[in-house]
Amino acid sequence: MDDDLCPCGSGAALDRCCGPIVAGERAAPTAERLMRSRYTAFALRDEAHLLRSWHRLSCPESVSFVLGQRWTGLEVLATVAGELLDQEGEVEFRAHYDRRGRPGVLHELSRFVRDDEGRWVYLGPVEAELG
């Protein structure tokens, strides 16, 4: 990882933001940070982090990336709990993308929980809408 800006939109360099979380070198301290790292993993097409950060009860066998789709921006709209001392939390976001020259957006309210080892993991969407 280098000094490129992190895809999550924080304005920080990838190697000082989501990079170490995506690489498995550091755990996400909050549900929002895990969500941002998962967006970054989608943008970088890093299946390993996506699978590693998915709850064992809802994790698919593999991740399919959409051919011709590029993630272009992330807006975190709201968070409920999901902080350092919490056991669960929700993050609402809009993830913008471009698919073969056509813009789109994924609007999702996601649920995160701590796993048996105390790490934040993605449980799944509470609600989601593609537009």
Side-chain angles (χ1 to χ4, degrees):
M1 302 202 201
D2 52 27
D3 288 329
D4 290 337
L5 289 181
C6 189
C8 84
S10 68
L14 178 61
D15 64 352
R16 283 177 264 145
C17 190
C18 293
I21 298 170
V22 172
E25 299 167 0
R26 182 175 73 206
T30 65
E32 180 181 336
R33 293 287 293 131
L34 182 63
M35 189 281 306
R36 287 180 173 279
S37 76
R38 288 177 56 81
Y39 172 85
T40 296
F42 272 106
L44 299 176
R45 296 180 177 260
D46 189 310
E47 180 183 40
H49 175 63
L50 293 168
L51 295 175
R52 183 175 54 248
S53 64
W54 221 305
H55 192 282
R56 61 180 169 72
L57 296 177
S58 57
C59 186
E61 288 185 25
S62 64
V63 176
S64 298
F65 297 104
V66 178
L67 188 63
Q69 181 169 303
R70 182 176 57 87
W71 294 97
T72 58
L74 176 67
E75 296 174 80
V76 175
L77 304 174
T79 60
V80 175
E83 296 297 324
L84 292 173
L85 301 177
D86 294 321
Q87 294 301 307
E88 58 184 66
E90 293 179 350
V91 180
E92 181 181 8
F93 66 90
R94 283 191 197 109
H96 299 268
Y97 60 87
D98 180 88
R99 185 179 302 154
R100 297 184 186 107
R102 298 185 64 196
V105 65
L106 167 64
H107 182 190
E108 182 172 310
L109 175 60
S110 298
R111 184 164 178 228
F112 296 86
V113 296
R114 294 219 186 240
D115 68 9
D116 295 338
E117 297 175 13
R119 295 175 303 191
W120 284 108
V121 291
Y122 172 70
L123 187 59
V126 174
E127 50 187 68
E129 177 182 326
L130 277 173

